[in-house]
Short mmCIF file of all heavy atoms in Angstrom, two decimals:
data_model
loop_
_atom_site.label_atom_id
_atom_site.label_comp_id
_atom_site.label_asym_id
_atom_site.label_seq_id
_atom_site.Cartn_x
_atom_site.Cartn_y
_atom_site.Cartn_z
N MET A 12 131.57 84.58 91.52
CA MET A 12 130.28 84.67 90.84
C MET A 12 129.15 84.69 91.89
O MET A 12 129.13 83.87 92.80
CB MET A 12 130.14 83.45 89.91
CG MET A 12 128.83 83.49 89.11
SD MET A 12 128.87 82.22 87.85
CE MET A 12 127.19 81.71 87.82
N GLY A 13 128.30 85.65 91.76
CA GLY A 13 127.16 85.71 92.66
C GLY A 13 127.40 86.53 93.92
O GLY A 13 126.50 86.71 94.71
N SER A 14 128.61 87.01 94.11
CA SER A 14 128.89 87.74 95.35
C SER A 14 128.16 89.08 95.37
O SER A 14 127.66 89.50 96.39
CB SER A 14 130.40 87.95 95.50
OG SER A 14 130.88 88.81 94.50
N ARG A 15 128.07 89.71 94.21
CA ARG A 15 127.39 91.00 94.17
C ARG A 15 125.90 90.81 94.46
O ARG A 15 125.29 91.60 95.18
CB ARG A 15 127.58 91.64 92.79
CG ARG A 15 127.23 93.11 92.80
CD ARG A 15 127.28 93.70 91.41
NE ARG A 15 128.64 93.91 90.92
CZ ARG A 15 128.94 94.36 89.70
NH1 ARG A 15 127.97 94.66 88.87
NH2 ARG A 15 130.17 94.53 89.32
N TYR A 16 125.33 89.76 93.90
CA TYR A 16 123.91 89.45 94.11
C TYR A 16 123.66 89.18 95.59
O TYR A 16 122.73 89.69 96.19
CB TYR A 16 123.55 88.23 93.25
CG TYR A 16 122.11 87.83 93.35
CD1 TYR A 16 121.11 88.61 92.77
CD2 TYR A 16 121.74 86.67 94.02
CE1 TYR A 16 119.80 88.23 92.84
CE2 TYR A 16 120.43 86.28 94.11
CZ TYR A 16 119.45 87.06 93.52
OH TYR A 16 118.14 86.69 93.60
N GLY A 17 124.56 88.38 96.20
CA GLY A 17 124.40 88.05 97.61
C GLY A 17 124.43 89.28 98.49
O GLY A 17 123.70 89.38 99.45
N ARG A 18 125.27 90.22 98.15
CA ARG A 18 125.38 91.43 98.95
C ARG A 18 124.07 92.22 98.88
O ARG A 18 123.62 92.79 99.87
CB ARG A 18 126.55 92.28 98.45
CG ARG A 18 126.93 93.36 99.43
CD ARG A 18 128.41 93.68 99.34
NE ARG A 18 128.81 94.07 98.00
CZ ARG A 18 129.92 93.65 97.38
NH1 ARG A 18 130.74 92.85 98.00
NH2 ARG A 18 130.23 94.03 96.17
N THR A 19 123.48 92.25 97.70
CA THR A 19 122.21 92.98 97.54
C THR A 19 121.14 92.36 98.42
O THR A 19 120.40 93.06 99.09
CB THR A 19 121.76 92.94 96.07
OG1 THR A 19 122.83 93.41 95.27
CG2 THR A 19 120.55 93.81 95.86
N ILE A 20 121.07 91.03 98.43
CA ILE A 20 120.05 90.34 99.23
C ILE A 20 120.27 90.64 100.71
O ILE A 20 119.35 90.93 101.44
CB ILE A 20 120.14 88.81 98.98
CG1 ILE A 20 119.76 88.48 97.53
CG2 ILE A 20 119.23 88.05 99.97
CD1 ILE A 20 118.33 88.76 97.17
N ARG A 21 121.52 90.59 101.14
CA ARG A 21 121.81 90.83 102.55
C ARG A 21 121.38 92.24 102.95
O ARG A 21 120.83 92.47 104.00
CB ARG A 21 123.31 90.64 102.81
CG ARG A 21 123.58 90.25 104.26
CD ARG A 21 125.06 89.90 104.47
NE ARG A 21 125.49 88.87 103.54
CZ ARG A 21 126.68 88.84 102.95
NH1 ARG A 21 127.56 89.77 103.20
NH2 ARG A 21 127.01 87.89 102.12
N LYS A 22 121.64 93.19 102.09
CA LYS A 22 121.24 94.57 102.40
C LYS A 22 119.73 94.67 102.58
O LYS A 22 119.25 95.36 103.45
CB LYS A 22 121.69 95.51 101.26
CG LYS A 22 122.88 96.35 101.67
CD LYS A 22 123.12 97.46 100.69
CE LYS A 22 124.15 98.43 101.23
NZ LYS A 22 124.61 99.37 100.23
N ARG A 23 118.99 93.97 101.70
CA ARG A 23 117.55 94.02 101.79
C ARG A 23 117.09 93.37 103.10
O ARG A 23 116.17 93.84 103.74
CB ARG A 23 116.92 93.30 100.60
CG ARG A 23 115.47 93.70 100.40
CD ARG A 23 114.78 92.83 99.39
NE ARG A 23 115.57 92.66 98.18
CZ ARG A 23 115.11 92.05 97.09
NH1 ARG A 23 113.90 91.60 97.05
NH2 ARG A 23 115.86 91.88 96.04
N GLU A 24 117.74 92.29 103.50
CA GLU A 24 117.37 91.62 104.74
C GLU A 24 117.61 92.53 105.95
O GLU A 24 116.85 92.51 106.89
CB GLU A 24 118.17 90.32 104.89
CG GLU A 24 117.56 89.21 104.05
CD GLU A 24 118.34 87.91 104.13
OE1 GLU A 24 119.43 87.93 104.72
OE2 GLU A 24 117.85 86.91 103.60
N GLU A 25 118.64 93.33 105.88
CA GLU A 25 118.89 94.27 106.98
C GLU A 25 117.72 95.24 107.12
O GLU A 25 117.27 95.54 108.20
CB GLU A 25 120.17 95.05 106.70
CG GLU A 25 121.40 94.28 107.14
CD GLU A 25 122.69 94.95 106.68
OE1 GLU A 25 122.66 96.16 106.40
OE2 GLU A 25 123.70 94.26 106.58
N LYS A 26 117.20 95.70 105.99
CA LYS A 26 116.06 96.62 106.02
C LYS A 26 114.86 95.94 106.63
O LYS A 26 114.13 96.53 107.41
CB LYS A 26 115.74 97.08 104.59
CG LYS A 26 116.86 97.90 103.99
CD LYS A 26 116.44 99.35 103.83
CE LYS A 26 117.64 100.25 103.54
NZ LYS A 26 118.35 99.86 102.32
N VAL A 27 114.65 94.68 106.26
CA VAL A 27 113.50 93.93 106.80
C VAL A 27 113.64 93.77 108.30
O VAL A 27 112.69 93.93 109.04
CB VAL A 27 113.40 92.55 106.11
CG1 VAL A 27 112.40 91.65 106.84
CG2 VAL A 27 112.98 92.71 104.65
N LEU A 28 114.85 93.51 108.76
CA LEU A 28 115.08 93.35 110.21
C LEU A 28 114.75 94.65 110.94
O LEU A 28 114.18 94.63 112.02
CB LEU A 28 116.53 92.96 110.46
CG LEU A 28 116.83 91.46 110.26
CD1 LEU A 28 118.31 91.20 110.44
CD2 LEU A 28 116.03 90.61 111.23
N VAL A 29 115.09 95.77 110.34
CA VAL A 29 114.79 97.06 110.97
C VAL A 29 113.28 97.20 111.13
O VAL A 29 112.79 97.61 112.18
CB VAL A 29 115.36 98.21 110.13
CG1 VAL A 29 114.80 99.55 110.60
CG2 VAL A 29 116.88 98.22 110.22
N VAL A 30 112.54 96.82 110.11
CA VAL A 30 111.08 96.91 110.17
C VAL A 30 110.53 95.94 111.20
O VAL A 30 109.63 96.25 111.96
CB VAL A 30 110.47 96.62 108.78
CG1 VAL A 30 108.95 96.54 108.86
CG2 VAL A 30 110.90 97.71 107.79
N GLN A 31 111.11 94.74 111.25
CA GLN A 31 110.65 93.74 112.21
C GLN A 31 110.84 94.24 113.64
O GLN A 31 110.01 94.00 114.51
CB GLN A 31 111.43 92.44 112.04
CG GLN A 31 110.94 91.61 110.88
CD GLN A 31 111.74 90.34 110.72
OE1 GLN A 31 112.79 90.20 111.34
NE2 GLN A 31 111.27 89.43 109.92
N ARG A 32 111.93 94.90 113.88
CA ARG A 32 112.23 95.34 115.25
C ARG A 32 111.47 96.59 115.62
O ARG A 32 111.31 96.91 116.78
CB ARG A 32 113.74 95.60 115.38
CG ARG A 32 114.50 94.28 115.47
CD ARG A 32 115.99 94.53 115.46
NE ARG A 32 116.72 93.27 115.32
CZ ARG A 32 117.93 93.15 114.81
NH1 ARG A 32 118.54 94.22 114.36
NH2 ARG A 32 118.51 92.01 114.71
N ALA A 33 111.02 97.33 114.63
CA ALA A 33 110.29 98.56 114.92
C ALA A 33 108.96 98.24 115.57
O ALA A 33 108.40 97.16 115.38
CB ALA A 33 110.07 99.33 113.63
N LYS A 34 108.45 99.18 116.32
CA LYS A 34 107.15 99.00 116.94
C LYS A 34 106.07 99.44 115.96
O LYS A 34 106.22 100.45 115.29
CB LYS A 34 107.07 99.80 118.24
CG LYS A 34 107.86 99.12 119.34
CD LYS A 34 107.71 99.83 120.66
CE LYS A 34 108.47 99.07 121.74
NZ LYS A 34 108.44 99.79 123.01
N HIS A 35 105.00 98.64 115.94
CA HIS A 35 103.92 98.92 115.01
C HIS A 35 102.66 99.29 115.76
O HIS A 35 102.50 98.95 116.93
CB HIS A 35 103.67 97.68 114.14
CG HIS A 35 104.87 97.29 113.33
ND1 HIS A 35 105.20 97.92 112.15
CD2 HIS A 35 105.83 96.37 113.53
CE1 HIS A 35 106.30 97.38 111.68
NE2 HIS A 35 106.72 96.44 112.49
N GLY A 36 101.78 99.98 115.08
CA GLY A 36 100.53 100.40 115.69
C GLY A 36 99.60 99.22 115.90
O GLY A 36 99.53 98.31 115.09
N CYS A 37 98.89 99.24 117.04
CA CYS A 37 97.94 98.18 117.36
C CYS A 37 96.58 98.52 116.73
O CYS A 37 96.08 99.63 116.91
CB CYS A 37 97.80 98.08 118.88
SG CYS A 37 96.52 96.94 119.39
N PRO A 38 95.97 97.56 116.03
CA PRO A 38 94.65 97.82 115.41
C PRO A 38 93.53 97.85 116.45
O PRO A 38 92.43 98.27 116.15
CB PRO A 38 94.48 96.64 114.44
CG PRO A 38 95.35 95.54 114.99
CD PRO A 38 96.50 96.23 115.71
N VAL A 39 93.82 97.39 117.68
CA VAL A 39 92.79 97.35 118.73
C VAL A 39 92.81 98.64 119.54
O VAL A 39 91.80 99.32 119.69
CB VAL A 39 93.00 96.12 119.64
CG1 VAL A 39 91.95 96.08 120.75
CG2 VAL A 39 92.94 94.83 118.81
N CYS A 40 93.97 99.00 120.09
CA CYS A 40 94.04 100.17 120.96
C CYS A 40 94.74 101.35 120.28
O CYS A 40 94.68 102.47 120.78
CB CYS A 40 94.74 99.82 122.27
SG CYS A 40 96.50 99.47 122.10
N GLY A 41 95.38 101.11 119.17
CA GLY A 41 95.99 102.19 118.41
C GLY A 41 97.36 102.61 118.89
O GLY A 41 98.00 103.48 118.30
N LYS A 42 97.83 101.99 119.97
CA LYS A 42 99.14 102.37 120.49
C LYS A 42 100.25 101.68 119.70
O LYS A 42 100.09 100.55 119.24
CB LYS A 42 99.24 101.96 121.97
CG LYS A 42 98.43 102.89 122.85
CD LYS A 42 98.53 102.47 124.30
CE LYS A 42 97.66 103.37 125.17
NZ LYS A 42 97.53 102.87 126.52
N LYS A 43 101.36 102.35 119.59
CA LYS A 43 102.49 101.76 118.86
C LYS A 43 103.29 100.86 119.78
O LYS A 43 104.38 101.18 120.21
CB LYS A 43 103.38 102.89 118.31
CG LYS A 43 102.81 103.52 117.08
CD LYS A 43 103.89 104.19 116.25
CE LYS A 43 103.37 104.57 114.89
NZ LYS A 43 104.42 105.14 114.05
N ASN A 44 102.69 99.75 120.09
CA ASN A 44 103.33 98.84 121.05
C ASN A 44 103.24 97.40 120.57
O ASN A 44 103.30 96.47 121.38
CB ASN A 44 102.65 98.99 122.41
CG ASN A 44 103.68 99.18 123.51
OD1 ASN A 44 104.86 98.90 123.32
ND2 ASN A 44 103.25 99.65 124.65
N VAL A 45 103.08 97.22 119.28
CA VAL A 45 102.93 95.87 118.74
C VAL A 45 104.30 95.33 118.35
O VAL A 45 105.08 96.00 117.67
CB VAL A 45 102.00 95.88 117.51
CG1 VAL A 45 101.95 94.50 116.86
CG2 VAL A 45 100.60 96.30 117.94
N LYS A 46 104.57 94.15 118.82
CA LYS A 46 105.85 93.51 118.50
C LYS A 46 105.61 92.15 117.86
O LYS A 46 104.62 91.49 118.15
CB LYS A 46 106.67 93.32 119.78
CG LYS A 46 107.44 94.58 120.14
CD LYS A 46 108.44 94.27 121.21
CE LYS A 46 109.51 95.35 121.31
NZ LYS A 46 110.45 95.04 122.38
N ARG A 47 106.54 91.76 117.04
CA ARG A 47 106.44 90.47 116.36
C ARG A 47 106.81 89.36 117.34
O ARG A 47 107.91 89.36 117.89
CB ARG A 47 107.38 90.48 115.16
CG ARG A 47 107.26 89.29 114.26
CD ARG A 47 108.10 89.57 113.03
NE ARG A 47 108.36 88.36 112.27
CZ ARG A 47 109.36 87.52 112.54
NH1 ARG A 47 110.18 87.76 113.52
NH2 ARG A 47 109.54 86.46 111.80
N LYS A 48 105.86 88.47 117.57
CA LYS A 48 106.07 87.39 118.54
C LYS A 48 106.62 86.15 117.84
O LYS A 48 107.55 85.52 118.31
CB LYS A 48 104.73 87.08 119.21
CG LYS A 48 104.80 85.97 120.23
CD LYS A 48 104.85 86.52 121.63
CE LYS A 48 104.81 85.42 122.66
NZ LYS A 48 105.27 85.90 123.96
N ALA A 49 106.01 85.78 116.74
CA ALA A 49 106.47 84.64 115.95
C ALA A 49 106.40 85.05 114.48
O ALA A 49 106.17 86.22 114.18
CB ALA A 49 105.61 83.42 116.22
N ASN A 50 106.57 84.08 113.61
CA ASN A 50 106.68 84.39 112.18
C ASN A 50 105.59 85.34 111.69
O ASN A 50 105.88 86.34 111.06
CB ASN A 50 106.66 83.11 111.37
CG ASN A 50 107.06 83.37 109.93
OD1 ASN A 50 107.92 84.21 109.68
ND2 ASN A 50 106.44 82.70 109.01
N ALA A 51 104.33 85.04 111.99
CA ALA A 51 103.25 85.92 111.54
C ALA A 51 102.30 86.22 112.69
O ALA A 51 101.14 86.50 112.49
CB ALA A 51 102.50 85.27 110.37
N LEU A 52 102.83 86.15 113.91
CA LEU A 52 102.01 86.42 115.09
C LEU A 52 102.52 87.69 115.76
O LEU A 52 103.70 87.82 116.05
CB LEU A 52 102.09 85.24 116.06
CG LEU A 52 101.30 85.41 117.36
CD1 LEU A 52 99.80 85.46 117.09
CD2 LEU A 52 101.61 84.28 118.32
N TRP A 53 101.59 88.60 115.98
CA TRP A 53 101.95 89.90 116.57
C TRP A 53 101.20 90.08 117.87
O TRP A 53 100.08 89.63 118.02
CB TRP A 53 101.59 91.01 115.57
CG TRP A 53 102.31 90.88 114.28
CD1 TRP A 53 102.02 90.01 113.27
CD2 TRP A 53 103.48 91.59 113.88
NE1 TRP A 53 102.94 90.17 112.27
CE2 TRP A 53 103.84 91.12 112.61
CE3 TRP A 53 104.25 92.59 114.48
CZ2 TRP A 53 104.94 91.62 111.92
CZ3 TRP A 53 105.35 93.09 113.79
CH2 TRP A 53 105.68 92.60 112.53
N ILE A 54 101.84 90.74 118.80
CA ILE A 54 101.20 90.93 120.11
C ILE A 54 101.39 92.39 120.53
O ILE A 54 102.45 92.98 120.34
CB ILE A 54 101.76 89.94 121.16
CG1 ILE A 54 100.97 90.05 122.46
CG2 ILE A 54 103.24 90.16 121.40
CD1 ILE A 54 101.09 88.81 123.32
N CYS A 55 100.32 92.93 121.12
CA CYS A 55 100.37 94.32 121.58
C CYS A 55 100.74 94.33 123.06
O CYS A 55 100.08 93.67 123.87
CB CYS A 55 99.02 95.00 121.35
SG CYS A 55 98.93 96.64 122.09
N ASN A 56 101.78 95.05 123.41
CA ASN A 56 102.21 95.11 124.80
C ASN A 56 101.34 96.04 125.63
O ASN A 56 101.46 96.07 126.85
CB ASN A 56 103.67 95.57 124.87
CG ASN A 56 104.61 94.47 124.41
OD1 ASN A 56 104.37 93.29 124.63
ND2 ASN A 56 105.69 94.85 123.75
N SER A 57 100.48 96.80 125.00
CA SER A 57 99.62 97.71 125.75
C SER A 57 98.32 97.04 126.16
O SER A 57 97.94 97.07 127.33
CB SER A 57 99.30 98.96 124.90
OG SER A 57 100.44 99.78 124.83
N CYS A 58 97.63 96.41 125.21
CA CYS A 58 96.33 95.81 125.53
C CYS A 58 96.38 94.29 125.46
O CYS A 58 95.41 93.63 125.80
CB CYS A 58 95.25 96.36 124.59
SG CYS A 58 95.41 95.81 122.89
N GLY A 59 97.48 93.71 125.02
CA GLY A 59 97.62 92.26 125.01
C GLY A 59 96.98 91.59 123.81
O GLY A 59 96.90 90.37 123.76
N ALA A 60 96.52 92.37 122.85
CA ALA A 60 95.87 91.79 121.68
C ALA A 60 96.87 91.00 120.86
O ALA A 60 98.00 91.43 120.65
CB ALA A 60 95.26 92.90 120.83
N LYS A 61 96.43 89.82 120.43
CA LYS A 61 97.27 89.00 119.55
C LYS A 61 96.58 88.94 118.20
O LYS A 61 95.36 88.79 118.12
CB LYS A 61 97.38 87.58 120.11
CG LYS A 61 98.34 87.47 121.28
CD LYS A 61 98.45 86.01 121.72
CE LYS A 61 98.72 85.91 123.20
NZ LYS A 61 98.33 84.62 123.75
N PHE A 62 97.34 89.05 117.16
CA PHE A 62 96.73 88.92 115.84
C PHE A 62 97.76 88.44 114.84
O PHE A 62 98.96 88.65 114.99
CB PHE A 62 96.09 90.23 115.40
CG PHE A 62 97.02 91.41 115.45
CD1 PHE A 62 97.72 91.81 114.32
CD2 PHE A 62 97.20 92.13 116.63
CE1 PHE A 62 98.58 92.88 114.37
CE2 PHE A 62 98.07 93.20 116.69
CZ PHE A 62 98.75 93.58 115.55
N ALA A 63 97.24 87.76 113.82
CA ALA A 63 98.12 87.27 112.76
C ALA A 63 98.29 88.37 111.74
O ALA A 63 97.38 89.15 111.45
CB ALA A 63 97.50 86.04 112.11
N GLY A 64 99.47 88.46 111.23
CA GLY A 64 99.74 89.49 110.23
C GLY A 64 100.75 88.97 109.23
O GLY A 64 100.93 87.76 109.09
N GLY A 65 101.40 89.89 108.57
CA GLY A 65 102.44 89.48 107.64
C GLY A 65 103.65 88.97 108.41
O GLY A 65 103.76 89.15 109.62
N ALA A 66 104.55 88.33 107.70
CA ALA A 66 105.73 87.79 108.35
C ALA A 66 106.66 88.90 108.83
O ALA A 66 107.39 88.73 109.79
CB ALA A 66 106.47 86.87 107.39
N TYR A 67 106.61 90.05 108.18
CA TYR A 67 107.57 91.11 108.49
C TYR A 67 106.91 92.33 109.10
O TYR A 67 107.56 93.12 109.75
CB TYR A 67 108.32 91.52 107.22
CG TYR A 67 109.07 90.36 106.62
CD1 TYR A 67 108.85 89.99 105.30
CD2 TYR A 67 109.98 89.62 107.38
CE1 TYR A 67 109.53 88.91 104.76
CE2 TYR A 67 110.64 88.55 106.84
CZ TYR A 67 110.43 88.19 105.53
OH TYR A 67 111.09 87.13 105.01
N ALA A 68 105.60 92.50 108.88
CA ALA A 68 104.92 93.66 109.44
C ALA A 68 103.43 93.31 109.56
O ALA A 68 102.92 92.52 108.77
CB ALA A 68 105.10 94.88 108.53
N PRO A 69 102.75 93.87 110.54
CA PRO A 69 101.32 93.60 110.69
C PRO A 69 100.54 94.06 109.47
O PRO A 69 100.86 95.10 108.89
CB PRO A 69 100.92 94.41 111.93
CG PRO A 69 102.18 94.77 112.60
CD PRO A 69 103.24 94.82 111.53
N GLU A 70 99.54 93.28 109.11
CA GLU A 70 98.73 93.64 107.94
C GLU A 70 97.69 94.68 108.35
O GLU A 70 96.51 94.41 108.47
CB GLU A 70 98.04 92.39 107.36
CG GLU A 70 99.02 91.43 106.74
CD GLU A 70 99.72 92.02 105.51
OE1 GLU A 70 99.03 92.55 104.63
OE2 GLU A 70 100.95 91.96 105.45
N THR A 71 98.17 95.88 108.60
CA THR A 71 97.30 96.97 108.99
C THR A 71 97.64 98.17 108.12
O THR A 71 98.48 98.07 107.23
CB THR A 71 97.53 97.33 110.47
OG1 THR A 71 98.88 97.75 110.62
CG2 THR A 71 97.26 96.16 111.39
N ALA A 72 97.04 99.27 108.42
CA ALA A 72 97.39 100.49 107.68
C ALA A 72 98.86 100.80 107.90
O ALA A 72 99.55 101.28 106.99
CB ALA A 72 96.52 101.65 108.16
N VAL A 73 99.34 100.51 109.09
CA VAL A 73 100.76 100.72 109.37
C VAL A 73 101.59 99.78 108.51
O VAL A 73 102.61 100.17 107.95
CB VAL A 73 101.05 100.50 110.87
CG1 VAL A 73 102.55 100.61 111.14
CG2 VAL A 73 100.30 101.52 111.71
N GLY A 74 101.14 98.53 108.41
CA GLY A 74 101.84 97.56 107.58
C GLY A 74 101.92 98.03 106.13
O GLY A 74 102.94 97.86 105.47
N GLU A 75 100.87 98.65 105.68
CA GLU A 75 100.84 99.19 104.33
C GLU A 75 101.93 100.25 104.17
O GLU A 75 102.65 100.27 103.18
CB GLU A 75 99.46 99.80 104.06
CG GLU A 75 99.24 100.21 102.63
CD GLU A 75 98.94 99.02 101.74
OE1 GLU A 75 98.46 97.99 102.25
OE2 GLU A 75 99.19 99.11 100.54
N THR A 76 102.05 101.09 105.17
CA THR A 76 103.08 102.13 105.13
C THR A 76 104.46 101.51 105.08
O THR A 76 105.33 101.94 104.33
CB THR A 76 102.95 103.03 106.39
OG1 THR A 76 101.62 103.48 106.48
CG2 THR A 76 103.89 104.21 106.30
N VAL A 77 104.64 100.47 105.90
CA VAL A 77 105.93 99.78 105.95
C VAL A 77 106.25 99.16 104.60
O VAL A 77 107.36 99.23 104.11
CB VAL A 77 105.93 98.71 107.06
CG1 VAL A 77 107.16 97.83 106.97
CG2 VAL A 77 105.85 99.38 108.42
N ARG A 78 105.23 98.55 103.99
CA ARG A 78 105.42 97.91 102.69
C ARG A 78 105.83 98.94 101.65
O ARG A 78 106.74 98.73 100.86
CB ARG A 78 104.13 97.21 102.27
CG ARG A 78 104.37 96.15 101.19
CD ARG A 78 103.33 95.04 101.25
NE ARG A 78 101.99 95.53 101.50
CZ ARG A 78 101.18 95.09 102.46
NH1 ARG A 78 101.59 94.16 103.25
NH2 ARG A 78 99.98 95.59 102.62
N LYS A 79 105.19 100.09 101.68
CA LYS A 79 105.54 101.15 100.73
C LYS A 79 106.97 101.62 100.99
O LYS A 79 107.72 101.89 100.06
CB LYS A 79 104.56 102.33 100.87
CG LYS A 79 103.30 102.09 100.09
CD LYS A 79 102.30 103.21 100.34
CE LYS A 79 100.95 102.84 99.75
NZ LYS A 79 99.89 103.66 100.31
N PHE A 80 107.32 101.71 102.25
CA PHE A 80 108.67 102.11 102.63
C PHE A 80 109.68 101.13 102.06
O PHE A 80 110.67 101.50 101.45
CB PHE A 80 108.77 102.16 104.16
CG PHE A 80 110.18 102.30 104.68
CD1 PHE A 80 110.84 103.52 104.63
CD2 PHE A 80 110.85 101.20 105.19
CE1 PHE A 80 112.12 103.64 105.11
CE2 PHE A 80 112.13 101.31 105.67
CZ PHE A 80 112.77 102.54 105.62
N LEU A 81 109.40 99.84 102.21
CA LEU A 81 110.31 98.80 101.73
C LEU A 81 110.41 98.84 100.21
O LEU A 81 111.48 98.73 99.63
CB LEU A 81 109.82 97.42 102.18
CG LEU A 81 110.19 97.03 103.61
CD1 LEU A 81 109.61 95.67 103.93
CD2 LEU A 81 111.69 97.00 103.80
N GLU A 82 109.27 99.00 99.55
CA GLU A 82 109.27 99.06 98.09
C GLU A 82 110.09 100.24 97.61
O GLU A 82 110.85 100.15 96.66
CB GLU A 82 107.83 99.16 97.57
CG GLU A 82 107.14 97.80 97.56
CD GLU A 82 105.65 97.93 97.35
OE1 GLU A 82 105.17 99.03 97.02
OE2 GLU A 82 104.96 96.92 97.54
N GLY A 83 109.95 101.34 98.30
CA GLY A 83 110.73 102.53 97.94
C GLY A 83 112.22 102.30 98.07
O GLY A 83 113.01 102.73 97.24
N GLN A 84 112.59 101.56 99.13
CA GLN A 84 114.02 101.28 99.34
C GLN A 84 114.56 100.36 98.26
O GLN A 84 115.68 100.50 97.83
CB GLN A 84 114.20 100.62 100.71
CG GLN A 84 113.86 101.53 101.89
CD GLN A 84 114.81 102.70 102.00
OE1 GLN A 84 116.00 102.56 101.88
NE2 GLN A 84 114.26 103.88 102.21
N GLN A 85 113.74 99.40 97.86
CA GLN A 85 114.21 98.39 96.90
C GLN A 85 114.42 98.97 95.51
O GLN A 85 115.26 98.52 94.76
CB GLN A 85 113.21 97.24 96.82
CG GLN A 85 113.38 96.28 98.01
CD GLN A 85 112.24 95.30 98.11
OE1 GLN A 85 111.55 95.06 97.13
NE2 GLN A 85 112.04 94.73 99.27
N THR A 86 113.63 99.99 95.14
CA THR A 86 113.77 100.54 93.79
C THR A 86 114.94 101.50 93.71
O THR A 86 115.25 102.02 92.66
CB THR A 86 112.46 101.27 93.40
OG1 THR A 86 112.12 102.19 94.43
CG2 THR A 86 111.33 100.27 93.19
N LYS A 87 115.58 101.77 94.84
CA LYS A 87 116.69 102.70 94.88
C LYS A 87 117.87 102.19 94.05
O LYS A 87 118.20 101.03 94.16
CB LYS A 87 117.14 102.87 96.33
CG LYS A 87 117.36 104.36 96.64
CD LYS A 87 117.73 104.52 98.10
CE LYS A 87 117.77 105.97 98.50
NZ LYS A 87 118.15 106.12 99.89
ZN1 LIG B 1 96.77 97.21 121.66
#
C-alpha cells in the first residue's frame, strides 16, 4: 500500500533536482551562472551577486519559466 504513490513523489523529486542543478539566469548581470548555494540562497558565479529566491529556483523571470516547466511535467 502506498508504493505507487511513493514512486510518483520520487519521480517528481528527480525533476526538482534537475532544476536545482541547472544554471539559472542572474538578475544582476543576466548571465546564466546562478547556482543554488543553500535552501533559498542563490549566488552568481559571474558577478558574485547573492540573493534569496525560491527553494528550488530563483524567483526571477527564469524561475517563472522553471515553475511553468515543472507544472507542465506534473500534469502529465
Ligand atoms: Zn551575476
Side-chain angles (χ1 to χ4, degrees):
M12 183 170 144
S14 66
R15 195 186 285 177
Y16 181 72
R18 194 150 57 223
T19 307
I20 294 294
R21 206 173 305 142
K22 254 193 171 169
R23 198 190 312 187
E24 280 178 352
E25 276 171 21
K26 295 249 167 59
V27 169
L28 279 176
V29 168
V30 173
Q31 281 180 347
R32 285 174 189 154
K34 285 185 177 175
H35 299 280
C37 173
V39 179
C40 69
K42 285 180 183 170
K43 282 203 168 183
N44 229 343
V45 174
K46 277 192 162 178
R47 188 171 163 275
K48 179 101 175 162
N50 192 36
L52 178 67
W53 300 78
I54 187 159
C55 173
N56 287 326
S57 286
C58 70
K61 283 183 211 158
F62 54 95
Y67 301 124
E70 292 295 310
T71 61
V73 175
E75 188 78 24
T76 307
V77 170
R78 199 152 41 232
K79 277 175 190 162
F80 169 77
L81 278 178
E82 280 167 10
Q84 294 294 316
Q85 281 169 21
T86 52
K87 225 177 188 181

